[in-house]
Structure formats: C-alpha cells, structure tokens
Amino acid sequence: MSTVDARVRHDWTPNEVNALFELPFMDLVFRAQTVHRQHFDPNQVQTSTLLSIKTGACPEDCKYCPQSGHYNTGLKKEKLMAVDRVLEKARQAREGGASRFCMGAAWKHPSEKDMPYVLEMVKGVKALGLETCMTLGMLNEDQSQQLAEAGLDYYNHNLDTSPEFYDKIITTRSFQDRLDTLSHVRDAGMKVCSGGILGMGETANDRIGLLIQLANMPKQPESVPINMLVRVEGTPLEDAKEVDSFDFIRTLAVARIMMPESYVRLSAGRESMSDEMQALAFMAGANSIFYGECLLTTPNPEKNRDLQLFARLGMRPEQAIDKADDATEAEIRQNLVKQQQDALFYDASA
C-alpha cells in the first residue's frame, strides 16, 4: 500500500468520506491504524472517569436520554452534588488510574446560582493533578470565560448527529446552538470534546455528515467520543435497531483518519461490547475510554475488567499530566470548610 496521508485537514467532502466507508474492512482498519501510529503511542489509552454531579429533570427532549424530564424512565431526580463529595470522587478516580475527571450536569445551561459551585469543583479537581472536563449544556461567552479562568481543560458538548437528522432527535435546542457553544468554548481557550451517537435511526449519510461537521471545524476537537446508543426503557429510542458491530468499528476508523491528532473515545455502549470488539476498536484508532462502573446514568465496564483487557493486549493507561498541588488543594479545602454544608445542596431543577 502507498504511504497513508495522516495530515490534519478541514476540507473533507461527502464523496471522500463515503469512499472511506466503502473501503474493504481490513484495508480501512489498516489505514486507520497507520494514521494512528503517526500521532500516538498505539499501546496507550487515555482513561477518563465521568461523574454525574446533577442527575435527572433535564428540560431538554433528547430522545436518547434517560435524564430528560420529558420521559418516564424511573430515574431518580437528584440535587447538585456537594463540592466536597465531588472532590472525594475525583480523588478515588485518580487513585484508580484515571488521568481526566469529567463532570456532567443535566441542565439546558448552568444558571447564575450554579456557577460558583461548578467553578469550585473545577478548581478542586485541578488541584488534585487531574485534567478537568465538564458537560453542563449550552454556555454563553461569559460562562465559558469563567470556566476557563477556573482551570477547566475540556468542555464536552456533543453534536450527536448530522445537521439534517438533528431535529428528529432534539427539538429544544438547535444544531446551531451547539455550534455556538463550541465556538464560545474555543474562544475562551479551552479544549473541545465533541462527538456523536450511533444507533438512533440515522442513515450512513448522517454518520458522514456528523464526521464532516467535526473534522471541518476551524480547529478539530481534541477529543471525539463515538457513542453507541444505550437503549433505555421509557425513552423514544428504547426500541431502536441495534448498531452493527462492523459499522460501528468503521465509523471509529473513519473518525481516526479524518481527525488524526484527536483522541477518539470509545464511549457509551462499551458495557455490551465483547473484549474482542473493544480490541478491534483500539486497532481502528480508538485511544480513549471512560473508566469506571457508571457513565452518567448507564452501566460501564468495571475497572478490573478494563485493566485485565489492557494486560491481555499489552496496553497501558495514559498517565495524568500533573502531580497534585497539595498546597492548592489544602487552600481550596479550607475555603470549602468555611461554607455551610447546606449551601452546597439545593434543588437545581426548581
């Protein structure tokens, strides 16, 4: 095979991407792995832990989401988690080998009363030496700047699917709303985490359209989660057709080729994947996972299973980039003690 082009491009066309999807499977995976090796250690996987800091009663109507207040999924609504409790979970994640701690809240956007607590969470997790990531819904320019100044490394805001299919899945915010949030995040100097979900009834052209939207951004996302729909009873997509495993791997491989310097994350749906399928996903260029027993409100493979798989494959978790700043951590904890514990709990859905 001729030398594989592993350049970062921002001018992908539908015909080019379709041609990648139509390659023989082995040729596509080989090309993706070749691109991957030019930019990453092929035996290293970035590991993130995801914590839901505020669960349920979201006003959005995303058809895939058990946290939407529009559907009855039996999910218990919870208040915003206390800052101290979040930091304890972050410590546990660090001790378990995670290099990035992601915090998610079921909001359309953070309110003014939420922001002080959210910012303290970012500062505290950062002081532990972990990379920080949040997903809080839509952000305006000021909120993005506040998060960046607090030390937030990544902001997650998935595009979910193509612009053409988007309003079949979500009607409470537009595709442009999502692009605007990502623009605010980028302008504030944070890194972008943005990807999509497979298995919502989208066509092959919709998958192409999603990847083109991501790859042709002025700067490609540093992290690209590729999710397999977890069908939850009570949501409109509970009976959606299961994604073919090879189609899923093809999408990972094409994402790796189109976004050669991005971390491609094997995300939701891993619980149902065999070790062999996950190994094939890593071969196709996936090099990031969520690590731990729960992914917001859906199951995720246990840590021990992940570590056993890494050992069998001769792979290893990527190490955290910083060591904990004990002085900063102590200062933050001292400030938190001064606050009344009750003030850290309130009904965020009220």
Side-chain angles (χ1 to χ4, degrees):
M1 178 177 284
S2 59
T3 302
V4 172
D5 186 354
R7 294 174 301 155
V8 175
R9 291 177 46 194
H10 305 275
D11 58 353
W12 289 94
T13 67
N15 285 341
E16 285 180 299
V17 181
N18 185 61
L20 290 175
F21 272 102
E22 291 187 345
L23 285 172
F25 184 80
M26 297 303 178
D27 290 349
L28 175 61
V29 171
F30 178 81
R31 178 169 173 177
Q33 176 63 198
T34 303
V35 169
H36 182 61
R37 286 172 178 266
Q38 293 185 47
H39 295 277
F40 293 97
D41 181 336
N43 295 309
Q44 186 166 276
V45 179
Q46 188 276 322
T47 54
S48 298
T49 294
L50 178 60
L51 175 69
S52 179
I53 60 173
K54 190 273 171 185
T55 302
C58 181
E60 303 278 30
D61 67 354
C62 309
K63 290 184 177 179
Y64 53 80
C65 186
Q67 300 210 62
S68 172
H70 294 257
Y71 318 125
N72 182 16
T73 63
L75 186 69
K76 183 180 178 182
K77 180 177 68 175
E78 296 179 1
K79 299 175 183 179
L80 182 67
M81 191 178 286
V83 179
D84 259 345
R85 188 176 167 205
V86 172
L87 297 187
E88 181 57 35
K89 292 288 187 180
R91 255 182 229 97
Q92 294 171 9
R94 184 185 66 183
E95 291 167 3
S99 61
R100 186 180 307 161
F101 192 70
C102 305
M103 295 158 275
W107 291 323
K108 186 180 181 72
H109 53 74
S111 69
E112 188 174 340
K113 68 177 180 179
D114 302 322
M115 286 301 292
Y117 303 98
V118 167
L119 297 175
E120 286 300 317
M121 292 175 190
V122 173
K123 293 174 184 176
V125 174
K126 189 75 172 176
L128 293 173
L130 290 163
E131 287 186 315
T132 52
C133 178
M134 279 193 159
T135 178
L136 311 170
M138 293 187 292
L139 297 179
N140 59 34
E141 292 181 20
D142 181 59
Q143 290 169 329
S144 300
Q145 193 61 46
Q146 289 183 63
L147 288 167
E149 290 174 358
L152 189 64
D153 296 300
Y154 286 82
Y155 194 77
N156 167 257
H157 201 58
N158 290 333
L159 296 183
D160 288 344
T161 189
S162 70
E164 294 76 16
F165 190 62
Y166 182 85
D167 62 4
K168 305 295 191 300
I169 301 299
I170 304 156
T171 66
T172 48
R173 77 173 89 160
S174 70
F175 194 84
Q176 187 59 50
D177 287 335
R178 291 183 181 261
L179 294 177
D180 290 344
T181 290
L182 293 178
S183 180
H184 296 326
V185 167
R186 189 61 88 186
D187 290 345
M190 290 181 285
K191 296 176 182 177
V192 167
C193 174
S194 187
I197 306 171
L198 307 188
M200 301 189 294
E202 75 282 352
T203 65
N205 284 337
D206 290 317
R207 294 173 187 173
I208 290 170
L210 167 67
L211 294 180
I212 286 177
Q213 286 287 323
L214 294 167
N216 285 357
M217 287 180 176
K219 186 174 182 180
Q220 294 179 348
E222 283 82 1
S223 180
V224 181
I226 303 296
N227 299 274
M228 181 183 288
L229 177 69
V230 178
R231 295 167 294 177
V232 178
E233 186 176 354
T235 64
L237 295 179
E238 63 177 309
D239 296 320
K241 183 180 178 182
E242 188 173 349
V243 178
D244 177 80
S245 298
F246 291 113
D247 286 345
F248 184 83
I249 299 297
R250 281 184 180 276
T251 306
L252 285 173
V254 174
R256 165 52 65 217
I257 293 167
M258 294 175 68
M259 291 169 277
E261 294 183 351
S262 304
Y263 283 87
V264 176
R265 175 174 296 150
L266 187 59
S267 199
R270 271 206 316 129
E271 172 71 12
S272 64
M273 297 179 192
S274 68
D275 287 352
E276 291 79 9
M277 182 177 174
Q278 292 188 65
L280 193 55
F282 295 138
M283 186 70 185
N287 64 332
S288 177
I289 62 168
F290 276 122
Y291 181 73
E293 297 177 8
C294 191
L295 202 164
L296 286 182
T297 59
T298 56
N300 203 44
E302 295 183 2
K303 294 178 184 177
N304 286 345
R305 178 186 164 190
D306 289 332
L307 293 176
Q308 289 168 5
L309 178 59
F310 287 170
R312 292 169 68 193
L313 298 177
M315 303 181 76
R316 62 191 180 280
E318 183 177 276
Q319 297 300 306
I321 57 173
D322 297 312
K323 294 184 178 179
D325 184 337
D326 292 335
T328 306
E329 180 183 347
E331 180 182 352
I332 290 170
R333 288 188 62 80
Q334 185 175 10
N335 290 338
L336 291 174
V337 169
K338 294 178 183 178
Q339 302 180 44
Q340 293 184 3
Q341 188 71 12
D342 288 346
L344 298 179
F345 288 89
Y346 63 90
D347 188 348
S349 65

